């Protein structure tokens, strides 16, 4: 199937903007993706036509909102091949999803001397919650180091995983380097010693299909806004066996079965973990984003993205003063320029209408391991990017070099 990217781009109104006198070249997709018109329409339809709270009323608008809200949950379950919609919990995003597991499961099921294993390339959201759990329980945080190519060291992971390992938490794709981590192999190693596994899929679901059953993970977390849906909505997939054991993280309305001053009983999952009025519009719009993606030839889009990645890496390789970090395989390419601060380069690119990211990318331990005091420039791709976007970035870097 031939995919016409220029036609698909018309679905994304933001991409048609002029920035600083230039057509926008949006290469900050790892931070947040743009939204197709179908998602914008879903948001507008909810607030304009069916605005009501869910699960709490018998009137028509509430019924319509509840049906759309729960249909979105079922769409997400199918999207990641979860066995049941009951294993899909709405969160504000990946960060809240990981914190939910850390504070509900981690603080109640981990003990002094237990080991939590993360990797050196993790986002802060998959480091700090586990540090807090370790401090509260006496568990020990261990780190899978990187190889010389800045990839996860599987041999070191195999040595680190032992009978004391109780939880493995790793990212599917590095937000900073665009490297696809060998999560299936890591999950298998962890399962061999009975450890719980959580995968941060924030940078994965927008780039390629994910099957949580095939991976075998206990938990999988991702954010809507990195897969063409709104901000403020995310997903935690959790196996039923764990969701039933875990206590609520937050309490209040919606997540209860009965309440008296003497005793409270809680609802079954997923509602046990969804206290208060949820982000109804966000969940419905995330369902619309799933519909949009499922309506495309994702294999063809992956090939297109891979072609852009190859074009970008080849172009950067021709620049002697540019250094690419790691071996990017999905989404993000991080690089530095000799004797130029990343922020200065990004500012000059922005003057040409080119949007990139700079800094530590919420991965300061990774940048420290790479010896990068000022971080990197990160250009991150989505399927709606074109060869012209990559050409513009490469030309923009050359122009910035002349100015500097």
């Amino acid at each position: 199937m031939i995919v016409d990217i220029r036609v698909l781009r018309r679905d994304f109104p933001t991409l048609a903007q002029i920035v600083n006198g230039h057509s926008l070249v949006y290469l900050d997709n790892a931070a947040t993706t743009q939204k197709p018109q179908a998602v914008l329409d879903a948001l507008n339809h909810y607030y304009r036509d069916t605005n009501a709270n869910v699960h709490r009323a018998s009137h028509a608008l509430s019924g319509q909102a509840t049906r759309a809200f729960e249909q979105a949950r079922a769409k997400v379950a199918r999207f990641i091949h979860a066995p049941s919609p009951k294993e899909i919990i709405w969160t504000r995003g990946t960060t809240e999803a990981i914190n939910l597991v850390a504070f509900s499961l981690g603080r109640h099921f981990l003990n002094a001397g237990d080991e939590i294993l993360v990797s050196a390339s993790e986002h802060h959201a998959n480091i700090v919650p586990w540090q807090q759990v370790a401090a509260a329980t006496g568990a020990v945080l261990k780190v899978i180091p990187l190889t010389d190519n800045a990839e996860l060291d599987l041999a070191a992971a195999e040595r680190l995983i032992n009978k004391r390992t109780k939880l493995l938490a790793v990212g599917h794709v590095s937000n900073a380097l665009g490297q696809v981590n060998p999560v299936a192999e890591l999950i298998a190693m962890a399962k061999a010693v009975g450890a719980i596994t959580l995968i941060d899929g924030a940078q994965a679901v927008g780039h390629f299909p994910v099957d949580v059953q095939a991976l075998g993970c206990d938990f999988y977390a991702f954010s809507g806004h990195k897969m063409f849906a709104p901000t403020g909505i995310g997903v935690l997939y959790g196996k039923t066996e764990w969701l039933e054991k875990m206590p609520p993280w937050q309490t209040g309305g919606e997540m209860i079965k009965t309440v008296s001053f003497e005793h409270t009983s809680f609802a079954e999952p997923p509602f046990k973990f969804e206290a208060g009025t949820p982000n109804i519009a966000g969940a419905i719009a995330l369902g619309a984003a799933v519909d949009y993606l499922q309506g495309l030839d994702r294999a063809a889009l992956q090939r297109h993205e891979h072609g852009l990645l190859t074009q970008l890496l080849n172009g950067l390789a021709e620049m002697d003063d540019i250094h690419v970090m790691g071996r990017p395989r999905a989404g993000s390419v991080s690089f530095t320029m000799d004797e130029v601060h990343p922020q200065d380069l990004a500012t000059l690119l922005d003057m040409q209408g080119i949007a990139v990211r700079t800094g530590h990318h919420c991965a300061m331990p990774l940048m420290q391991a790479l010896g990068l005091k000022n971080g990197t420039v990160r250009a991150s791709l989505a399927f709606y990017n074109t060869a012209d976007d990559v050409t513009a970035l490469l030309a923009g870097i050359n122009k910035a070099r002349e100015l500097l």
Side-chain angles (χ1 to χ4, degrees):
M1 179 178 177
I2 298 175
V3 178
D4 192 333
I5 299 300
R6 295 185 187 279
V7 172
L8 285 183
R9 283 175 65 87
R10 298 172 192 163
D11 294 339
F12 296 84
T14 303
L15 299 178
Q17 288 191 64
I18 301 298
V19 174
N20 292 327
H22 300 267
S23 295
L24 172 63
V25 175
Y26 186 78
L27 295 170
D28 193 20
N29 294 289
T32 195
T33 52
Q34 299 305 325
K35 322 307 174 193
Q37 190 63 50
V39 169
L40 302 177
D41 289 344
L43 284 169
N44 186 52
H45 173 70
Y46 168 74
Y47 282 122
R48 184 190 63 203
D49 299 323
T50 61
N51 182 40
N53 215 325
V54 292
H55 301 140
R56 300 182 186 181
S58 57
H59 60 79
L61 288 186
S62 179
Q64 292 174 34
T66 299
R67 283 191 294 275
F69 183 73
E70 291 304 326
Q71 285 169 358
R73 195 192 304 271
K75 290 174 184 178
V76 169
R78 291 192 294 271
F79 182 63
I80 61 170
H81 300 275
S84 169
K86 294 180 181 180
E87 295 178 316
I88 300 299
I89 298 166
W90 298 122
T91 67
R92 289 186 297 123
T94 308
T95 297
E96 184 173 78
I98 295 172
N99 274 272
L100 190 163
V101 178
F103 285 83
S104 178
L105 184 146
R107 290 200 175 203
H108 291 85
F109 291 91
L110 296 183
N111 301 297
D114 289 345
E115 293 181 358
I116 304 166
L117 189 60
V118 299
S119 83
S121 65
E122 296 306 312
H123 189 284
H124 295 163
N126 205 25
I127 298 174
V128 181
W130 306 117
Q131 287 178 330
Q132 296 295 301
V133 167
T137 64
V140 180
L141 187 67
K142 298 281 187 174
V143 182
I144 302 170
L146 305 179
T147 66
D148 292 341
N149 295 321
E151 296 180 327
L152 298 196
D153 189 332
L154 274 178
E158 194 166 13
R159 291 191 297 270
L160 284 166
I161 294 173
N162 61 78
K163 63 182 181 180
R164 294 185 300 277
T165 307
K166 300 303 179 185
L167 188 139
L168 168 76
V170 294
H172 202 158
V173 176
S174 167
N175 77 298
L177 305 184
Q179 298 189 153
V180 180
N181 292 324
V183 292
E185 293 91 333
L186 290 167
I187 291 167
M189 291 180 194
K191 287 299 177 186
V193 298
I196 304 162
T197 55
L198 177 145
I199 304 300
D200 172 356
Q203 299 295 333
V205 291
H207 294 285
F208 51 79
V210 169
D211 186 331
V212 294
Q213 293 188 73
L215 288 174
C217 56
D218 296 296
F219 299 94
Y220 196 96
F222 60 95
S223 301
H225 74 99
K226 297 182 190 294
M227 55 165 285
F228 317 103
T231 55
I233 188 67
V235 170
L236 174 67
Y237 157 76
K239 284 186 176 179
T240 298
E241 62 184 275
W242 282 112
L243 296 182
E244 289 179 344
K245 295 176 185 177
M246 290 160 54
W249 178 37
Q250 297 176 322
T251 54
E254 184 70 16
M255 51 72 65
I256 53 87
K257 184 182 295 182
T258 62
V259 175
S260 70
F261 285 111
E262 293 72 35
H263 175 73
T264 294
S265 60
F266 302 115
E268 297 298 316
F271 306 112
K272 180 169 69 171
F273 301 101
E274 295 178 359
T277 297
N279 183 355
I280 304 166
I284 293 170
L286 176 52
V290 167
D291 286 341
Y292 181 82
L293 283 173
Q294 297 288 60
L296 302 175
D297 184 339
R298 297 201 73 191
L301 296 181
Q302 278 183 260
R303 291 192 295 271
H304 169 71
E305 278 194 47
H306 179 73
L308 297 180
L309 186 64
T310 300
Q311 178 191 358
L312 177 55
L313 291 174
N314 288 343
L316 293 174
E318 295 177 359
M319 302 179 184
D320 293 338
D321 55 350
I322 294 289
H323 307 282
V324 173
M325 303 296 115
R327 294 179 175 177
R329 293 186 176 91
S332 298
V333 176
S334 270
F335 59 91
T336 60
M337 177 184 282
D338 289 342
E339 300 181 6
V340 175
H341 195 288
Q343 185 62 48
D344 292 339
L345 178 55
T347 299
L348 292 173
L349 291 172
D350 180 58
M351 292 170 61
Q352 302 172 64
I354 303 167
V356 295
R357 201 76 162 186
T358 64
H360 297 98
H361 315 298
C362 294
M364 292 182 72
L366 170 61
M367 296 297 151
Q368 290 166 3
L370 297 174
L372 299 172
K373 179 180 178 182
N374 297 318
T376 69
V377 176
R378 184 185 69 188
S380 49
L381 302 161
F383 68 78
Y384 47 56
N385 288 121
T386 66
D388 289 344
D389 289 340
V390 175
T391 298
L393 173 61
L394 296 172
I397 293 171
N398 281 321
K399 184 172 182 180
R401 180 187 291 110
E402 294 172 2
L403 293 173
L404 291 167

